Amino acid sequence: AQSVTQLDSQVPVFEEAPVELRCNYSSSVSVYLFWYVQYPNQGLQLLLKYLSGSTLVKGINGFEAEFNKSQTSFHLRKPSVHISDTAEYFCAVSESLPGTYKYIFGTGTRLKVLA
Amino acid sequence: KAGVTQTPRYLIKTRGQQVTLSCSPISGHRSVSWYQQTPGQGLQFLFEYFSETQRNKGNFPGRFSGRQFSNSRSEMNVSTLELGDSALYLCASSWTGKKTEAFFGQGTRLTVV
């Protein structure tokens, strides 16, 4: 069965510093990968997605992620964070199998940007 | 373009009651999914509908049910509420339910007392 692991529940980082949020997944078939962000009292907003092709994907707000099939990882990075990036970030996978229409989410990483 | 609308935003119910939550997807989207979000379990998939048909179902008891109407609006129902059903219920809509971006509503915060 597919699963998603976000090892870091909380990541504090100073403003303008780089950040990496880690995501590992487990699946016996090929997957589609997503990163979502959730601000307090809001729904989830898509940051970026990997469906196929180039393993480096760029998203909104300066975020990017790299798909590594051999390590089954899809880590999210930003070279310089802002206070406004403080939020919870979720990694999600969806299997490419026919008849599969659900996302499996990780438990989330709370990013706290410090002034 | 209007986003995904969930009503109500907040709800307080008593154990044993039932509740119905509503989700209006983005215009043109035919796939609607429901998720339960709790601090302990994170986001868990409930079910997905496409053109009024349930295509996928998560591992939730039969007390949790849903449906989708011909205009793609969806409802989910929880019967015989338990304290553990307290959660944020999120609805997401997309064109096809696979590969395409899922747009989430702000959720319905259900508190069971």
Side-chain angles (χ1 to χ4, degrees):
Chain A
Q2 57 180 321
S3 65
V4 179
T5 301
Q6 292 181 249
L7 286 171
D8 305 308
S9 59
Q10 293 188 69
V11 172
V13 62
F14 285 104
E15 194 174 18
E16 298 183 9
V19 70
E20 178 179 84
L21 306 184
R22 296 180 293 169
C23 172
N24 288 87
Y25 68 92
S26 172
S27 177
S28 57
V29 300
S30 59
V31 296
Y32 306 120
L33 296 155
F34 307 82
W35 274 100
Y36 280 86
V37 61
Q38 186 178 35
Y39 299 101
N41 299 315
Q42 299 291 320
L44 278 68
Q45 178 184 8
L46 181 70
L47 281 175
L48 47 77
K49 62 184 177 186
Y50 172 80
L51 304 180
S52 64
S54 173
T55 57
L56 182 64
V57 292
K58 294 190 183 296
I60 62 171
N61 301 339
F63 284 95
E64 64 179 35
E66 186 156 21
F67 169 55
N68 188 318
K69 188 175 182 180
S70 62
Q71 297 188 0
T72 60
S73 68
F74 190 54
H75 301 331
L76 181 71
R77 303 185 184 100
K78 186 169 183 179
S80 175
V81 296
H82 303 290
I83 295 288
S84 59
D85 292 323
T86 294
E88 190 150 23
Y89 292 79
F90 292 91
C91 180
V93 301
S94 179
E95 290 185 333
S96 60
L97 287 173
T100 300
Y101 302 97
K102 61 181 180 182
Y103 293 90
I104 301 299
F105 284 86
T107 50
T109 297
R110 198 172 295 275
L111 175 64
K112 173 72 172 174
V113 181
L114 309 168
Chain B
K1 192 174 185 180
V4 178
T5 304
Q6 291 189 246
T7 56
R9 287 292 312 278
Y10 302 92
L11 208 48
I12 299 175
K13 288 287 188 179
T14 304
R15 272 183 303 174
Q17 288 186 311
Q18 75 164 13
V19 67
T20 299
L21 311 182
S22 180
C23 172
S24 293
I26 290 172
S27 178
H29 285 189
R30 295 165 66 188
S31 168
V32 174
S33 301
W34 289 89
Y35 292 84
Q36 181 195 65
Q37 186 177 22
T38 59
Q41 299 295 319
L43 281 146
Q44 293 190 291
F45 172 76
L46 281 155
F47 25 67
E48 188 264 358
Y49 288 87
F50 184 87
S51 293
E52 303 178 67
T53 299
Q54 185 183 88
R55 297 193 296 188
N56 276 172
K57 188 176 191 305
N59 297 323
F60 279 81
R63 301 185 296 107
F64 291 81
S65 63
R67 60 177 175 169
Q68 186 181 34
F69 302 96
S70 58
N71 61 358
S72 293
R73 190 177 70 85
S74 177
E75 290 182 346
M76 68 162 283
N77 184 278
V78 188
S79 63
T80 319
L81 284 166
E82 301 177 359
L83 294 178
D85 297 333
S86 295
L88 180 67
Y89 289 88
L90 291 165
C91 166
S93 78
S94 68
W95 289 106
T96 65
K98 184 187 283 288
K99 295 176 72 171
T100 54
E101 176 180 355
F103 292 81
F104 283 79
Q106 291 186 297
T108 294
R109 173 78 60 185
L110 172 65
T111 302
V112 182
V113 297

